[in-house]
Amino acid sequence: MKFTSFMLLLLMSTVAQAQEIGKWKDDGPGGIGTDITIYKSDGTYHLKQIFRDGSKSDKKVKKAGSKYIQYGADDYYVIDKSGVLKCYDRQGLVFEARSVNQPKGVERDTSGGLSCYELGVKYGRCATLSMKGKACNSSDDIVIPTRCRGSAETQRGIEAGTRSVY
């Protein structure tokens, strides 16, 4: 019983010392489905990869500013402001991996706080001008954010934007 308690205590102290920096998944176009974790254990940073075929890699990396640099390789990793992990080598960007806390295919809402009606007006105006072969103002060339799709307010705005061209 003493041996089991000692092993449990040893296991708990080892787990408590590891600090996870983040988890990502390389599953975008051309991605290989790798799960990536960066963590710090006993003062050393590590980059752990689990590949689609089940094989694993756990490498020590050096943290220099915002970079995590692989020892003995030209590869380095950067976590951007939106939480995306980017891997670079001497030629440039190798791949990007999304945070596992961010759903795949998430669209950023760049509407600037405009109402769905106002966004609909911009969208309707730009779409109608484009169909008439005319250029629209770049500030009207938008994608309707998910929060406004299918709403009656957005539809009213699209109709008003369309009418404004005629």
Side-chain angles (χ1 to χ4, degrees):
M1 188 67 175
K2 285 184 180 182
F3 179 73
T4 306
S5 299
F6 173 74
M7 291 301 290
L8 183 59
L9 181 62
L10 181 63
L11 178 62
M12 288 172 48
S13 67
T14 303
V15 171
Q17 292 177 357
Q19 174 191 5
E20 186 177 285
I21 307 301
K23 287 185 175 188
W24 299 268
K25 188 163 194 68
D26 174 23
D27 60 357
I32 58 174
T34 307
D35 293 326
I36 302 165
T37 304
I38 296 178
Y39 66 96
K40 184 178 182 181
S41 178
D42 296 325
T44 305
Y45 289 92
H46 296 263
L47 186 131
K48 179 180 175 182
Q49 294 175 292
I50 302 174
F51 300 95
R52 185 174 286 153
D53 66 2
S55 61
K56 298 176 183 178
S57 167
D58 196 334
K59 303 171 188 164
K60 289 183 180 180
V61 292
K62 178 176 93 173
K63 184 167 177 12
S66 64
K67 294 180 182 178
Y68 295 89
I69 305 166
Q70 241 180 270
Y71 287 103
D74 293 329
D75 297 353
Y76 66 92
Y77 299 81
V78 176
I79 304 167
D80 75 8
K81 291 179 183 178
S82 64
V84 173
L85 180 69
K86 296 182 177 186
C87 175
Y88 295 90
D89 65 10
R90 286 186 179 174
Q91 283 77 39
L93 181 66
V94 177
F95 69 85
E96 294 183 0
R98 69 176 172 87
S99 169
V100 295
N101 297 322
Q102 177 183 21
K104 186 176 180 179
V106 161
E107 293 178 16
R108 292 186 313 147
D109 184 350
T110 58
S111 64
L114 294 175
S115 71
C116 292
Y117 176 82
E118 293 168 305
L119 293 168
V121 170
K122 287 176 170 278
Y123 183 86
R125 184 172 36 240
C126 189
T128 305
L129 285 169
S130 295
M131 288 184 349
K132 293 179 97 178
K134 297 179 180 178
C136 73
N137 187 331
S138 61
S139 68
D140 289 345
D141 192 4
I142 64 161
V143 174
I144 299 292
T146 306
R147 69 178 172 89
C148 294
R149 292 183 188 164
S151 81
E153 183 182 1
T154 304
Q155 187 58 41
R156 282 194 323 275
I158 291 171
E159 291 167 5
T162 301
R163 282 192 303 273
S164 73
V165 173
Y166 291 101

